[in-house]
Amino acid sequence: MISQTLREARKYEEALGKLIKSEERPSFHLSVRTGWMNDPNGFSYYKGEYHMFYQYYPYDSQWGPMHWGHAVSKDLLHWEYLPAALAPDEFYDRDGCFSGSAMELPDGRQLLMYTGVVRERQKNGGICEVQTQCIAVGDGMDYEKYEKNPVLDETDLPEGCSRFDFRDPKLWKKKDGTYCCLVGNRPADGSGHLLLFTSPNGFQWNYKKVFCANHHRFGLMWECPDFFELDGKWVLLTSPQDMRPQGFEYHNGNGTLCLIGDYDEITDSFAEECNQSIDYGIDFYAPQTILTPDGRRVMIGWMQNWDTCSLRISDHTSWYGQMSLPRELSVKNGRLYQAPLRELLNLRKNKTVHKNVSVSGVVRLDGVNGRKVDMQLTICPKDKETMYRKFAVRFAQNEEFYTSLSFRPSESILKIDRKFSGSRRAIIHQRRSMVNSKNGEIKLRMILDRFSVEVFVNDGEQVMTATMYTEQEADGISFFADGEAVIDVEKYDLD
Ligand code: FRU
């Protein structure tokens, strides 16, 4: 049975979604059907298609009581909207259906596990959100909430754990058939940890252990965990709130964290070995991954950040929120590598190549412009003795606006800067990252899609992502060097 709340949301999104012209949206990144989108949810491959659900408030381009939006795709680049899957319509989730994940059951149905939210008045008059874990089961279109919801609540939590910060269940199945679920939570020390729950069937859940504790190392609460095996290692992804900077690796505010290590499936012990940011740009948060039928681990994140949402909100547009490119993951020498999904090559049109171009001052190149672009750029010094001091590429550029990437070989720092992209807000517009470069050589692959840039540095060793809402007429690209640099450019339009 579909509730009145869900029926209304479906009617509303169908009518309002149509009013947004396709040119007003990103072209090959999934954006919200109408209204507001945050985290990817229930990212899965089910019945021959990729499914993406997302945190969704259809009625406004700002965050509100969360629904789950829904879209499907055959190639992860062209998406078709389906009717919203979940609405906050039960006593245990009346103030929101927060983030969660999906899994196929042995009988072919799809299980969604999500966080139910209920606001509770506190003795001091304040309001706190009580969070529990809930289930819905469906066929890829319609989902029915389980009659025994919530399946995990405060009574399942060990001593000292918060019932207010208890969210974002990530499901997976172990080789022995046990269902596992990692949930973000806060222990009494106010830091974050991830709790492991197990189940014989996906419906009855039991607390197992603290899977991984933050101990105040990386921000406070850890949101939206994901966990998987890759290239002989185990990878734990999470998005910490309230981070403090550590060198150029982590920044203030909401960030992303990747822990790589080993996992013993018998004792459920995760032994961390290395840590790093997932994305070194400005707008990337709460990613989820899937295993594709051909065995690739593919990740998609929310291509925004809570700390910088005001960049767009003041515009009064009818949509806000887009997902990142699907990125193929691998682990090499204890590092997470990311590459744009290989199907993106199918969208390439109009190849333009410029080889061995000397850059000193500003240079523009024939055929190199656009806002839906795949551009591979290799930079090196003219000769080894005289190193250039700074190299920059400006894009989404016209007389008034531009966004830039700049690189100073003496510091080995790559900077993304959208200060002049048209923003009127006092938020973070720049971010710097330490990158690997030998003798001033660096390799960048930039993907632009109308409102965003994703920069894959040195074949995916690092990625820097930023959104920019500059008018689309600003489609220039130019290169600059202080000193003398030599570049190779291979550029395609994406369509
Ligand atoms: C992360 C997050 C999740 C929560 C959801 C609410 O971006 O805060 O922890 O489930 O967003 O919309």
Side-chain angles (χ1 to χ4, degrees):
M1 260 293 284
I2 291 168
S3 70
Q4 177 77 5
T5 319
L6 184 57
R7 206 170 324 123
E8 274 167 19
R10 287 179 166 190
K11 216 167 125 191
Y12 184 87
E13 65 179 359
E14 203 190 342
L16 272 286
K18 278 193 203 130
L19 303 181
I20 305 171
K21 296 195 195 84
S22 62
E23 317 84 73
E24 292 167 7
R25 297 176 173 280
S27 154
F28 47 90
H29 289 74
L30 175 64
S31 56
V32 64
R33 188 167 185 181
T34 183
W36 165 276
M37 161 196 274
N38 56 287
D39 315 349
N41 291 159
F43 185 22
S44 50
Y45 185 78
Y46 176 64
K47 287 191 185 165
E49 280 180 318
Y50 296 101
H51 286 251
M52 181 58 95
F53 304 84
Y54 53 88
Q55 287 288 277
Y56 182 34
Y57 185 59
Y59 302 109
D60 196 350
S61 52
Q62 304 204 20
W63 193 86
M66 282 290 111
H67 297 55
W68 275 34
H70 191 185
V72 286
S73 174
K74 294 247 184 270
D75 65 356
L76 294 167
L77 296 170
H78 300 88
W79 292 92
E80 182 197 327
Y81 294 111
L82 291 187
L86 302 175
D89 53 14
E90 290 287 347
F91 69 92
Y92 50 78
D93 65 12
R94 63 167 182 252
D95 293 310
C97 300
F98 277 17
S99 286
S101 52
M103 152 158 286
E104 187 169 342
L105 291 167
D107 64 9
R109 293 178 302 162
Q110 194 180 36
L111 180 93
L112 307 180
M113 193 167 185
Y114 68 98
T115 299
V117 174
V118 175
R119 288 153 68 89
E120 182 189 82
R121 170 107 25 220
Q122 305 301 296
K123 284 202 187 80
N124 65 5
I127 286 191
C128 282
E129 292 174 340
V130 178
Q131 304 186 331
T132 60
Q133 313 319 315
C134 306
I135 274 172
V137 177
D139 60 0
M141 180 73 79
D142 297 313
Y143 293 82
E144 198 159 328
K145 291 179 183 171
Y146 183 43
E147 71 271 11
K148 292 190 183 142
N149 276 342
V151 295
L152 287 170
D153 65 14
E154 60 188 279
T155 61
D156 299 287
L157 288 172
E159 183 79 27
C161 288
S162 168
R163 65 194 181 101
F164 303 127
D165 283 303
F166 179 36
R167 59 181 175 273
D168 310 335
K170 164 67 196 183
L171 289 166
W172 81 95
K173 211 172 174 178
K174 282 210 292 203
K175 289 190 190 96
D176 70 3
T178 312
Y179 290 78
C180 293
C181 169
L182 270 187
V183 190
N185 182 256
R186 283 179 95 153
D189 75 358
S191 179
H193 59 193
L194 301 175
L195 303 178
L196 177 68
F197 297 86
T198 57
S199 165
N201 52 18
F203 292 86
Q204 278 99 37
W205 288 91
N206 296 300
Y207 171 74
K208 189 78 191 272
K209 68 191 291 196
V210 173
F211 189 75
C212 187
N214 184 4
H215 298 306
H216 288 276
R217 292 173 300 160
F218 308 102
L220 299 175
M221 169 76 184
W222 284 359
E223 299 189 307
C224 302
D226 197 350
F227 185 61
F228 50 87
E229 191 176 10
L230 184 60
D231 298 330
K233 286 283 162 195
W234 284 81
V235 180
L236 179 63
L237 306 179
T238 186
S239 296
Q241 294 180 305
D242 306 301
M243 292 191 92
R244 284 198 288 233
Q246 291 177 36
F248 288 100
E249 191 65 33
Y250 301 105
H251 304 279
N252 308 69
N254 284 62
T256 54
L257 173 68
C258 168
L259 297 172
I260 299 177
D262 283 321
Y263 169 54
D264 180 342
E265 279 201 301
I266 310 285
T267 58
D268 286 312
S269 315
F270 176 58
E272 297 170 37
E273 287 163 6
C274 331
N275 70 78
Q276 64 172 96
S277 275
I278 305 173
D279 195 284
Y280 293 80
I282 306 172
D283 297 300
F284 189 85
Y285 198 69
Q288 290 200 342
T289 68
I290 48 156
L291 198 59
T292 61
D294 61 1
R296 287 176 282 168
R297 181 57 63 173
V298 171
M299 173 179 77
I300 292 184
W302 180 38
M303 197 158 54
Q304 292 296 157
N305 186 296
W306 289 110
D307 294 313
T308 57
C309 286
S310 59
L311 183 63
R312 180 71 181 213
I313 284 174
S314 56
D315 287 359
H316 302 292
T317 51
S318 53
W319 70 270
Y320 181 91
Q322 40 181 331
M323 295 299 172
S324 74
L325 265 185
R327 303 173 183 179
E328 296 181 16
L329 303 183
S330 55
V331 173
K332 283 178 226 159
N333 304 322
R335 266 202 80 81
L336 184 74
Y337 278 69
Q338 302 173 46
L341 188 83
R342 65 191 68 157
E343 283 79 354
L344 196 67
L345 302 180
N346 303 335
L347 308 191
R348 284 177 163 186
K349 304 251 150 61
N350 310 329
K351 181 173 181 175
T352 306
V353 179
H354 294 272
K355 277 208 166 355
N356 259 313
V357 182
S358 284
V359 182
S360 182
V362 177
V363 167
R364 287 194 169 76
L365 298 173
D366 278 352
V368 179
N369 64 347
R371 287 289 284 272
K372 293 188 292 164
V373 164
D374 184 347
M375 182 166 80
Q376 177 85 46
L377 181 62
T378 318
I379 303 144
C380 46
K382 176 108 183 168
D383 48 61
K384 294 225 162 67
E385 290 74 54
T386 51
M387 184 60 72
Y388 62 92
R389 285 169 292 280
K390 179 182 166 183
F391 178 85
V393 48
R394 289 181 172 182
F395 49 95
Q397 183 179 23
N398 60 9
E399 269 153 31
E400 211 178 341
F401 305 119
Y402 65 88
T403 295
S404 68
L405 269 176
S406 57
F407 178 62
R408 288 181 185 276
S410 61
E411 301 168 323
S412 223
I413 285 175
L414 184 67
K415 181 169 88 173
I416 188 151
D417 188 346
R418 60 171 177 195
K419 192 167 158 188
F420 300 106
S421 67
S423 161
R424 294 179 192 273
R425 303 264 61 86
I427 55 167
I428 293 287
H429 290 112
Q430 306 174 338
R431 185 136 287 163
R432 291 180 297 161
S433 175
M434 207 70 144
V435 295
N436 281 321
S437 162
K438 259 197 228 118
N439 308 319
E441 286 171 30
I442 183 166
K443 211 168 153 188
L444 307 174
R445 182 165 169 206
M446 300 168 57
I447 313 288
L448 304 181
D449 185 8
R450 291 200 175 113
F451 307 103
S452 63
V453 59
E454 289 162 276
V455 187
F456 295 80
V457 184
N458 294 330
D459 297 311
E461 204 169 50
Q462 281 167 297
V463 187
M464 293 180 93
T465 301
T467 55
M468 74 253 166
Y469 294 97
T470 318
E471 57 193 38
Q472 295 300 306
E473 292 70 38
D475 69 349
I477 297 179
S478 64
F479 307 92
F480 166 84
D482 175 4
E484 275 185 291
V486 175
I487 60 172
D488 287 343
V489 178
E490 186 175 319
K491 181 248 159 185
Y492 302 83
D493 295 318
L494 293 172
D495 219 357

